[in-house]
Amino acid sequence: MSAALTEPAPGPALPTFANVEAAARRIAGVAHRTPVITSRTADALSGASLFFKCENLQRSGAFKFRGAYNAIAALPADGKARGVVAFSSGNHAQAIAYAGNLLGVKTVIVMPADAPALKMEATKGYGGEVVLYDRYRDDREAIGRRLAADRGLAVIPPYDHSDVIAGQGTAALELIEETGPLDALFVCLGGGGLLAGSALSAAARSPGCRVYGVEPEAGNDGQRSFREGKIVTIPVPVSIADGALTTHLGERTFPIIRRDVMDILTVSDAMLVETMRFLLERLKIVVEPTGCLAAAAALNGLVPIAGKRVGVILSGGNVDSRVLARLLG
Ligand SMILES: *Cc1c(COP(=O)(O)O)cnc(C)c1O
């Protein structure tokens, strides 16, 4: 068959801002409307007016609660009765377990054996059944899908799912509702659920806002994908940003990011440590390394933002006190 005659396979249906608004209604009164904080020191450093959206203070300690709760709540009754399975390096797992607990839905979590102890314990504490795998050898998606087939569970992936993306978009929606239009918005990037959802909200509620994704330097698959115009897959990156060790963007997140995001930036682990220290000492808040990605880009002037009104999503706060002490010691 001639290549010229084959149509490219149509991609999956993409979520829209209407899905974000539906998610906002579902999570209302359940997810925290997290605070937005400002800091004169941060403004002086960056030369901009920075508005930090504190998802480190969200239920289960990260924005992932939004997407997890929205996705489980959106299941039909028989799907809720059977339960869900998720595979995650941590915060998505915790969020699914917690949301399932609140909604009375059984949850099974497929987690890497080397996931941070705090995240594993929290997942079990919320009532999730934990199944471990080897991050460097096993295919977690295959394990998750086999469990789903065997037990009739619905798979809720950490980012490549319309209800998850829509739920994550509610954080930026709340931020813009509170601050009014923004000139720029910095968002932490792993698989792109938070970035795609944020971009949908920004495009609808703050048109012209320049949205930037920020990922670890060692795991720059998102930046490469954005620049090359196709999803690039990399080996499992090594970084202290344990919530962003994804190897590729999603089939649903990439097209939205390509359409609605200005650029993708990268920051080093050293910058993440300095940003954690700054947020702890100056803003008095604990933010996990991955949660510092966006702030590190804004505070280090990776793109010009002087004089601008800039949103920064602090995406999570789940860090072991021992890890915190080691990183900042
Ligand atoms: C999952 C996670 C991210 C990355 O989110 P994606 O939707 O996968 O891009 C960023 N920060 C924290 C704290 C996370 O848990």
Side-chain angles (χ1 to χ4, degrees):
M1 188 164 49
S2 151
L5 292 177
T6 57
E7 289 284 325
L14 302 178
T16 65
F17 180 62
N19 298 114
V20 180
E21 291 182 296
R25 289 190 292 272
R26 274 193 203 104
I27 69 167
V30 184
H32 292 318
R33 201 178 168 95
T34 53
V36 176
I37 61 176
T38 57
S39 151
R40 287 175 62 171
T41 317
D43 287 358
L45 255 181
S46 63
S49 297
L50 300 183
F51 300 93
F52 295 95
K53 176 68 169 166
C54 293
E55 286 297 297
N56 57 317
L57 303 178
Q58 184 52 265
R59 288 183 94 164
S60 81
F63 72 90
K64 292 241 174 42
F65 181 75
R66 297 172 180 273
Y69 190 92
N70 185 49
I72 299 178
L75 287 173
D78 61 327
K80 286 197 184 88
R82 282 195 298 271
V84 303
V85 57
F87 30 93
S88 163
S89 62
N91 284 338
H92 177 63
Q94 264 171 267
I96 287 284
Y98 194 13
N101 189 322
L102 292 173
L103 288 160
V105 173
K106 178 176 172 49
T107 58
V108 179
I109 312 297
V110 183
M111 268 191 147
D114 62 349
L118 181 78
K119 293 183 177 180
M120 211 179 287
E121 286 315 309
T123 304
K124 290 182 187 162
Y126 292 136
E129 176 190 336
V130 174
V131 174
L132 298 177
Y133 75 98
D134 181 336
R135 185 198 290 279
Y136 299 94
R137 281 181 32 206
D138 303 334
D139 178 351
R140 69 174 182 179
E141 304 204 10
I143 294 171
R145 291 191 196 283
R146 195 164 54 237
L147 276 167
D150 290 351
R151 303 200 204 170
L153 308 171
V155 177
I156 304 189
Y159 53 87
D160 203 17
H161 185 291
S162 289
D163 294 322
V164 171
I165 296 168
Q168 318 305 33
T170 59
L173 176 59
E174 289 174 14
L175 170 62
I176 295 165
E177 277 171 4
E178 191 154 335
T179 61
L182 294 168
D183 299 310
L185 175 63
F186 290 84
V187 183
C188 309
L189 171 61
L194 182 62
L195 179 58
S198 300
L200 290 174
S201 291
R205 288 296 169 85
S206 185
C209 173
R210 300 161 81 97
V211 180
Y212 296 96
V214 188
E215 64 185 351
E217 206 168 75
N220 69 339
D221 61 290
Q223 186 179 63
R224 287 182 52 195
S225 303
F226 191 78
R227 302 209 170 146
E228 293 174 31
K230 61 177 198 316
I231 298 174
V232 172
T233 300
I234 60 167
V236 177
V238 177
S239 163
I240 60 170
D242 58 68
L245 301 183
T246 44
T247 59
H248 57 84
L249 298 177
E251 281 177 58
R252 291 164 189 76
T253 58
F254 177 63
I256 297 171
I257 290 169
R258 223 183 149 188
R259 185 189 67 205
D260 292 338
V261 168
M262 181 62 52
D263 201 2
I264 295 182
L265 315 169
T266 65
V267 298
S268 66
D269 279 8
M271 282 160 87
L272 291 178
V273 170
E274 280 324 298
T275 303
M276 274 177 90
R277 189 190 310 283
F278 176 84
L279 294 172
L280 183 73
E281 290 180 351
R282 298 308 181 102
L283 278 72
K284 317 300 174 195
I285 53 175
V286 174
V287 183
E288 65 183 277
T290 316
C292 292
L293 286 163
L299 292 170
N300 285 283
L302 264 55
V303 290
I305 52 169
K308 306 285 189 203
R309 294 165 45 78
V310 178
V312 177
I313 299 187
L314 302 175
S315 55
N318 292 322
V319 56
D320 261 56
S321 54
R322 267 161 306 190
V323 173
L324 188 73
R326 180 164 51 75
L327 290 174
L328 300 185

